[in-house]
Amino acid sequence: MHTKQRRVTGAAAVAAFGILALTTGCSSTPATGKHHTKPTASRAAGSPASPGPSPVDPKPVQGQRLRHYLLTPDDLGPGYTQTETPDDEKAADPHRYDDIGMSGCPALEELSKHSDEVQFATKTSAGFSFGADSKLGEELHSDSPSKLSAGLRRLVHAQTSCPTYTMTSGSTPLTVSVHKDAPPGPGPDAYAYTTTLHGPGGTSVLKTATVRRGNVLVMLVGAPALVDGHIEAAVAKLPAG
C-alpha cells in the first residue's frame, strides 16, 4: 500500500519530483537533438557524509547575477524555445508537488523528512523545448561551496540508491527505474543518472546531470541527448570556482 511522504522542495524536488513536469509530451524514445557526449570514466556517487562549513566560503550569488549564468536559447542553438523564465518561478504554486508521493525507496523517504538539508540559499531556473516533444530544464543553486557539496552528495546518493521505486502523481502510479551514468566532468561534485518512468501513458526517459563549480551548482534535467549536448556549455557559463 502506498504511503504518501512529506513534500520535498528545492533541489530535491527537481531531481525526484520535478522530472514529472518534463514527462508531459516527452517521446518514449529519447530525442537525438543532433548532440553527442564525450565518453568519460565512470565514478560512483559520493558518500552522503557532510563536511563541516568553512569560514572562508564565499557568500551565495544573488538575484540577477545568478540569473546571468543560466543558459539561453542563443547558447542552445536553432530549434530551442524558452518555455520557462526565471520570473516564472515567482508565480509558481508552492503546493505543486503536494499530490506527488513515493514508496519503495527508504533513502528518498528519509530525504523527504530532511529536505531542508538540500535546500540552498539562492536559486533560479529556466526551461526549454526542442522540437515537438523534448524538454530541457535547468536550475542554478548558490550557497557556500561546502554546503553545496554536502547537499548535492546527499541528494544524488538518495536519488540513485534505489534501482526501482514507485512514484504517484495524484492517483496515477509510476514505476521509476534509476541508473548511474558517467559524471559529466572531473572533480568530486559532478554526477549524472538516468531515470526511466513507466506509467499508463507509456515510458519516458530523462537524464539528470549536475556539477558544482565554486559556490554555484547547475542541474540539467531532460531528454538524455539534450542534457549530454548542453551540460558542458552550462558548466562553462558558471563563475570560476
Side-chain angles (χ1 to χ4, degrees), residues 120 139-141 148 152 210-212 215-219:
F120 306 116
E139 280 212 359
L140 299 180
H141 294 265
L148 288 177
L152 183 57
T210 183
V211 177
R212 179 189 67 84
N215 63 343
V216 180
L217 71 82
V218 58
M219 180 183 293

Side-chain angles (χ1 to χ4, degrees), residues 132-239:
D133 56 10
S134 298
K135 297 183 180 181
L136 179 69
E138 180 183 26
E139 280 212 359
L140 299 180
H141 294 265
S142 185
D143 211 313
S144 67
S146 59
K147 185 170 182 180
L148 288 177
S149 181
L152 183 57
R153 284 200 303 272
R154 182 165 188 175
L155 173 68
V156 174
H157 171 78
Q159 184 64 24
T160 60
S161 64
C162 302
T164 61
Y165 60 93
T166 300
M167 182 183 292
T168 58
S169 176
S171 60
T172 303
L174 298 170
T175 300
V176 183
S177 302
V178 182
H179 73 79
K180 299 174 186 177
D181 296 316
D189 294 327
Y191 305 92
Y193 54 90
T194 297
T195 306
T196 304
L197 298 97
H198 307 275
T203 299
S204 296
V205 181
L206 297 168
K207 184 168 185 175
T208 300
T210 183
V211 177
R212 179 189 67 84
R213 176 182 282 181
N215 63 343
V216 180
L217 71 82
V218 58
M219 180 183 293
L220 293 188
V221 183
L226 305 190
V227 172
D228 287 341
H230 295 295
I231 185 62
E232 186 175 327
V235 173
K237 292 196 74 170
L238 301 184

